[in-house]
Amino acid sequence: LFFGSSWLVSTAAMAPKKEDPKKSAKSSGGGKAKKKKWSKGKVKEKLSNLVLFDKITYDKMLADVPKLKLITPSIISEKLKCNGSLARKAVKELLSQKLIRPILTHKSQCVYTRASHQ
């Protein structure tokens, strides 16, 4: 708390500082350099992929995916905008219908190709 009028007089007596146009054109050097701003980092966009196939997407999967040379769950997920577990189910469905054939089967990643009709 301030008592008396000395505080009021001292703040009212100070005039606002005027900017000198010559100084503002020059970059401030020495200790008056601006603080470094930390970057926020790159934010990845949130994907809104399908969790269940609708009729249109299921038909698109049956028509388009067997024509691809290289078929993986990640490629199916990207093309049809569905999540990974749904893409793995799609691969099993296509395998059961003999529309694709396996090239390499591994625990984490499986690679398939189109079934060549002989």
Side-chain angles (χ1 to χ4, degrees), residues 20-106:
D20 190 16
K22 291 178 186 173
K23 284 186 180 179
S24 62
K26 253 196 318 185
S27 64
S28 60
K32 295 195 176 194
K34 288 186 177 180
K35 277 189 175 178
K36 183 182 182 295
K37 301 272 186 186
W38 289 98
S39 66
K40 301 285 189 266
K42 291 182 180 174
V43 179
K44 192 176 180 185
E45 261 187 51
K46 184 78 174 145
L47 298 175
S48 57
N49 288 342
L50 296 174
V51 181
L52 293 171
F53 278 131
D54 51 356
K55 182 73 175 140
I56 299 161
T57 315
Y58 184 76
D59 292 338
K60 190 176 178 184
M61 183 262 300
L62 289 177
D64 295 346
V65 175
K67 294 176 185 170
L68 300 172
K69 283 186 181 179
L70 180 71
I71 302 164
T72 61
S74 53
I75 290 172
I76 293 172
S77 171
E78 218 171 282
K79 284 201 183 292
L80 299 177
K81 300 282 186 274
C82 62
N83 67 5
S85 59
L86 192 60
R88 288 193 299 273
K89 298 284 183 188
V91 166
K92 284 182 184 175
E93 178 73 22
L94 292 168
L95 268 174
S96 67
Q97 294 182 14
K98 300 208 187 302
L99 294 172
I100 60 173
R101 63 183 175 93
I103 295 175
L104 176 111
T105 52
H106 189 265

